[in-house]
Amino acid sequence: MIEQTEQAGSFRLPGTSMTMNRMGYGAMQLAGRDGNKLVWGPPRDIDAAIAVLREAVASGVNHIDTADFYGPHVTNQIIRRALSPYPDDLVIVTKVSVRRGEDGSWIPAFSPEELTAAVHDNLRNLGLDVLDVVNLRSMFSVHEPAEGSIEAPLTVLAELRQKGLVRNIGLSNVTPAQIAEARQIAPIVCVQNHYNLAHRADDTLIADLARDGIAYVPFFPLGGFTPLQSATLSDVTVRLGATPMQVTLAWLLRLHIRRIRPTSGQAPHTFVYRVKASQPFCCF
């Protein structure tokens, strides 16, 4: 299994010694659901969630993407319970600038106090003294990148980095202009945006970041809460005798993307299947 994961390749975050396999694990959906509140509360089977995290690491995954507003707090607490003390090569990447409303909504949290509290929440619930990578998530629009200055919140994050609470800074849900603005304030090691076979607004951005050696991390690479569906994808899967997940991941891994992670999926026990899907195909 480790060999299959490593076949996807690896990369080093720019300006760091962190080398990660391109197949990682997105932990968002390890949290539960309460009616219409998504990513809310504990999962129905915490033991299964713990098992999938341990299987992920045993399968060669050494990058986990998370956030303390998943749950909230629940996902990070499960990660700590499952994996602490953490393997030396495991990189945990988290996000800040969001808080959850009582109705499950996703609310911008850009103030210095909110950002500082979020970093400390991540440290406490993950059981860490310093965070490997913290992504600042732009929240001018919840569901897609939207223009607006991120100078003030990124400056706060850069100050927390100087204090030794954060090693590296990344961005999420951002536009090219926001990336350029951020790079004037602090080194940026990765950009995490919505991207997959059917959602390709960042094609040009991916190429630009690759030239600068900045990792691009697609979220919802398999479609997120709703799996990707298209007649073309169905035809290809039938012709190849593969699954939609396998074809979708193979397509992504053939691009010049420096990083790709699958979402955790609705059922934790599906992780072994998803790791097997990382084996590249000569299909395009």
Side-chain angles (χ1 to χ4, degrees):
M1 189 71 73
I2 292 177
E3 180 182 353
Q4 290 177 323
T5 304
E6 291 178 346
Q7 284 180 357
S10 63
F11 72 97
R12 177 175 294 181
L13 285 177
T16 79
S17 60
M18 298 178 185
T19 299
M20 300 186 294
N21 293 328
R22 290 179 70 209
M23 287 293 299
Y25 186 79
M28 180 176 70
Q29 293 184 54
L30 286 178
R33 176 173 182 166
D34 181 6
N36 292 327
K37 299 179 184 179
L38 301 178
V39 196
W40 188 270
R44 286 178 293 180
D45 190 339
I46 290 180
D47 289 337
I50 290 171
V52 75
L53 283 164
R54 291 174 176 168
E55 179 64 32
V57 173
S59 299
V61 165
N62 64 353
H63 166 208
I64 293 176
D65 177 85
T66 185
D68 204 66
F69 51 81
Y70 294 164
H73 314 307
V74 170
T75 294
N76 279 353
Q77 291 168 355
I78 292 173
I79 291 171
R80 179 178 183 177
R81 182 175 169 185
L83 301 176
S84 181
Y86 300 107
D88 291 340
D89 67 340
L90 181 65
V91 177
I92 297 178
V93 179
T94 189
K95 289 176 290 297
V96 295
S97 76
V98 181
R99 62 182 177 86
R100 304 298 298 277
E102 289 300 320
D103 60 353
S105 56
W106 308 75
I107 303 170
F110 274 153
S111 74
E113 294 78 14
E114 289 171 316
L115 293 168
T116 300
V119 166
H120 283 284
D121 285 345
N122 277 280
L123 289 168
R124 181 180 64 256
N125 287 311
L126 288 169
L128 294 170
D129 296 322
V130 59
L131 300 171
D132 290 328
V133 182
V134 175
N135 288 335
L136 178 73
R137 194 181 200 281
S138 174
M139 289 291 289
F140 294 102
S141 173
V142 174
H143 300 295
E144 61 186 3
E147 295 296 354
S149 175
I150 59 173
E151 178 182 2
L154 192 66
T155 298
V156 174
L157 203 54
E159 291 171 353
L160 293 171
R161 178 174 177 263
Q162 291 176 348
K163 292 179 180 179
L165 299 178
V166 175
R167 288 197 178 97
N168 301 284
I169 296 174
L171 302 171
S172 180
N173 198 41
V174 288
T175 67
Q178 289 166 336
I179 296 169
E181 179 183 43
R183 295 180 70 186
Q184 298 299 312
I185 300 168
I188 300 300
V189 299
C190 59
V191 172
Q192 180 193 64
N193 277 1
H194 184 187
Y195 187 85
N196 56 46
L197 183 62
H199 191 281
R200 300 176 58 180
D202 276 358
D203 279 348
T204 300
L205 176 61
I206 289 171
D208 291 342
L209 292 174
R211 282 193 294 270
D212 291 337
I214 297 175
Y216 184 88
V217 186
F219 68 76
F220 290 163
L222 301 177
F225 294 102
T226 303
L228 292 175
Q229 297 180 3
S230 77
T232 301
L233 179 59
S234 296
D235 290 344
V236 172
T237 59
V238 170
R239 178 164 55 86
L240 296 174
T243 68
M245 289 180 184
Q246 288 173 320
V247 172
T248 300
L249 288 176
W251 179 83
L252 283 165
L253 291 167
R254 287 292 296 272
L255 299 177
H256 294 294
I257 296 177
R258 300 178 66 84
R259 183 83 182 102
I260 170 65
R261 62 174 179 85
T263 57
S264 55
Q266 289 72 27
H269 65 271
T270 63
F271 181 76
V272 173
Y273 172 72
R274 289 170 184 258
V275 169
K276 289 180 180 178
S278 73
Q279 185 168 354
F281 296 91
C282 297
C283 59
F284 295 100

